[in-house]
Amino acid sequence: PAPLDLLEQRENCNWKPTFYSRRSQKRANHRCGVADIVFQEDALEDETSKVTLKGYFKWGHAPNFAGKKNVELFVQEANSYVYTGVWKSIGTVEGKGKSVEFQIERSVFKEIGRHRIQMVVYADKSIAEGSVWTIKKGSGAVVYDIDGTLTTGDKQVVTEMLLDAAHVSYTPTLRNGSVTLVRTWYAKGFLPIYLSGRAGTYYKLTREWLRKRGFPPGLIGHTDSTMPTLPVFKVPGSNVGVGTFKRNFLSGLKSSSIEVYAAYGNTANDIKVYESLKIPKERTFMAKMGPGANYRDTICVGRTYIKSHPNYLNKLERASIPVPVSYTHLRAHETGRNLV
């Protein structure tokens, strides 16, 4: 049974309408397990050490998790089929403010693969969804900027955010071949890292878009703020800017023994970020940036990944330390099932 089914089977579970139920008429923009990784070697070596999982709870696009409410964490077995995999309750914490925190033994995640997680707010049954990846040290990953790289332009995200605030659905247009691109790397054992300067409150919007379009599961990097970062590398005299955020996010992953093997982007800021991480220029791919753009020895793949990229992808070798590939997820786009 799914987490909500398990909760409703309990005699002491009370679903009376509350202040939170009324708030949840707004879009529940909760998130958890955004970029949580457990290394199998650490989990096997010290099963009793703790892993910290955080959940962020917002209705609409402003922090409003006021008061104290109970939140329960559920974890699904690694690489389970989404509809039949067994869910296990890990525990309940009392939420204070906009976030909650769980301390969990590493042994829960010692099985290699992707563990789906859900945090359920008792008061209104709203859910934060995410994943914890258990991988080996040195596993390969590929970074994908989202706006203008997987989509056809940066302006689309602005349109999507404005319309979402007005409860109007909008779907950004895919860059031709982008789903096949990411799925090809994933099939070779490279973990996708979807990176954007979008505000954290748009995590759910991003996750749903990736899922509906058929992208494989991966890490999603957004800011923790309620506003997008400024589209500059760094604002003078501060540590604010989309380039600084991306660099810090990826540096944290690299320092934790993940090999960022290749990267895709569409701006000069992206090039600067990837240079700072010493990603080889021959594996730094840029969508067309416009007339007179300086690609600084990176590889321009043009306006579509269909025409210029297949020869490279056909010769692509499997990752030296691959992440577990779920072929259920690779087939998801073909069968129409949402499995991210």
Side-chain angles (χ1 to χ4, degrees):
L4 286 182
D5 297 328
L6 292 171
L7 285 176
E8 290 175 352
Q9 291 171 8
R10 298 178 186 170
E11 294 180 358
N12 64 344
C13 193
N14 183 4
W15 296 124
K16 290 192 297 186
T18 64
F19 168 75
Y20 281 90
S21 300
R22 294 192 293 274
R23 260 181 201 243
S24 292
Q25 293 174 8
K26 296 182 179 180
R27 182 187 181 90
N29 287 314
H30 309 332
R31 67 191 193 277
C32 66
V34 176
D36 288 317
I37 290 176
V38 173
F39 290 106
Q40 189 185 42
E41 295 92 334
D42 296 338
L44 294 175
E45 182 178 328
D46 186 4
E47 295 185 2
T48 60
S49 62
K50 302 289 186 178
V51 176
T52 301
L53 294 185
K54 289 185 177 181
Y56 299 88
F57 297 86
K58 299 177 183 179
W59 286 262
H61 293 291
N64 44 29
F65 193 73
K68 300 178 181 179
K69 295 297 176 184
N70 288 332
V71 178
E72 185 164 356
L73 172 66
F74 294 85
V75 177
Q76 193 179 49
E77 295 175 327
N79 305 319
S80 298
Y81 187 62
V82 65
Y83 299 110
T84 58
V86 176
W87 287 90
K88 179 182 179 182
S89 173
I90 302 301
T92 304
V93 298
E94 189 176 63
K96 299 178 182 179
K98 68 178 181 179
S99 63
V100 300
E101 191 173 286
F102 288 86
Q103 297 288 331
I104 309 164
E105 291 186 355
R106 288 184 189 272
S107 58
V108 173
F109 303 111
K110 66 181 179 182
E111 183 181 351
I112 199 162
R114 174 182 177 245
H115 305 257
R116 295 179 70 236
I117 62 174
Q118 290 189 0
M119 295 184 185
V120 182
V121 181
Y122 277 2
D124 65 355
K125 296 190 289 186
S126 57
I127 297 175
E129 293 186 89
S131 304
V132 175
W133 288 82
T134 301
I135 59 177
K136 295 182 178 180
K137 292 182 178 180
S139 294
V142 177
V143 179
Y144 307 93
D145 169 68
I146 298 175
D147 303 305
T149 302
L150 298 182
T151 69
T152 55
D154 288 291
K155 293 181 180 179
Q156 290 192 67
V157 67
V158 179
T159 303
E160 183 181 27
M161 290 177 178
L162 291 174
L163 291 178
D164 181 70
H167 305 287
V168 177
S169 178
Y170 175 79
T171 303
T173 305
L174 283 171
R175 185 175 293 276
N176 198 8
S178 58
V179 175
T180 301
L181 167 76
V182 181
R183 286 156 65 87
T184 301
W185 280 101
Y186 177 68
K188 295 291 187 178
F190 292 93
L191 179 67
I193 300 174
Y194 303 106
L195 191 56
S196 170
R198 296 180 179 190
T201 50
Y202 290 95
Y203 165 77
K204 187 172 181 179
L205 203 66
T206 301
R207 189 173 180 273
E208 289 178 355
W209 179 80
L210 292 168
R211 175 169 60 189
K212 289 176 181 178
R213 287 298 192 171
F215 287 96
L219 309 184
I220 299 176
H222 284 3
T223 72
D224 285 333
S225 69
T226 56
M227 294 294 292
T229 53
L230 296 173
V232 296
F233 188 87
K234 182 180 179 181
V235 176
S238 74
N239 200 33
V240 177
V242 67
T244 304
F245 161 71
K246 289 181 176 181
R247 181 194 63 196
N248 293 344
F249 183 90
L250 294 174
S251 295
L253 293 179
K254 285 194 71 175
S255 65
S256 64
S257 303
I258 291 179
E259 181 194 0
V260 180
Y261 183 81
Y264 290 79
N266 75 311
T267 66
N269 278 333
D270 291 332
I271 294 177
K272 192 172 180 179
V273 170
Y274 302 151
E275 284 179 337
S276 69
L277 296 169
K278 295 183 170 50
I279 299 173
K281 294 293 182 71
E282 64 270 19
R283 296 200 296 269
T284 301
F285 305 98
M286 305 303 295
K288 191 160 182 70
M289 296 193 293
N294 182 2
Y295 293 93
R296 295 162 71 165
D297 298 324
T298 62
I299 298 176
C300 176
V301 294
R303 299 188 185 279
T304 170
Y305 299 115
I306 296 295
K307 293 182 179 180
S308 59
H309 221 37
N311 289 337
Y312 179 86
L313 295 178
N314 288 338
K315 299 175 183 177
L316 186 63
E317 295 184 359
R318 188 165 175 78
S320 56
I321 303 178
V323 298
V325 175
S326 170
Y327 290 96
T328 304
H329 290 107
L330 286 176
R331 293 189 59 206
H333 187 57
E334 301 165 11
T335 59
R337 294 184 180 271
N338 295 333
L339 302 180
V340 174

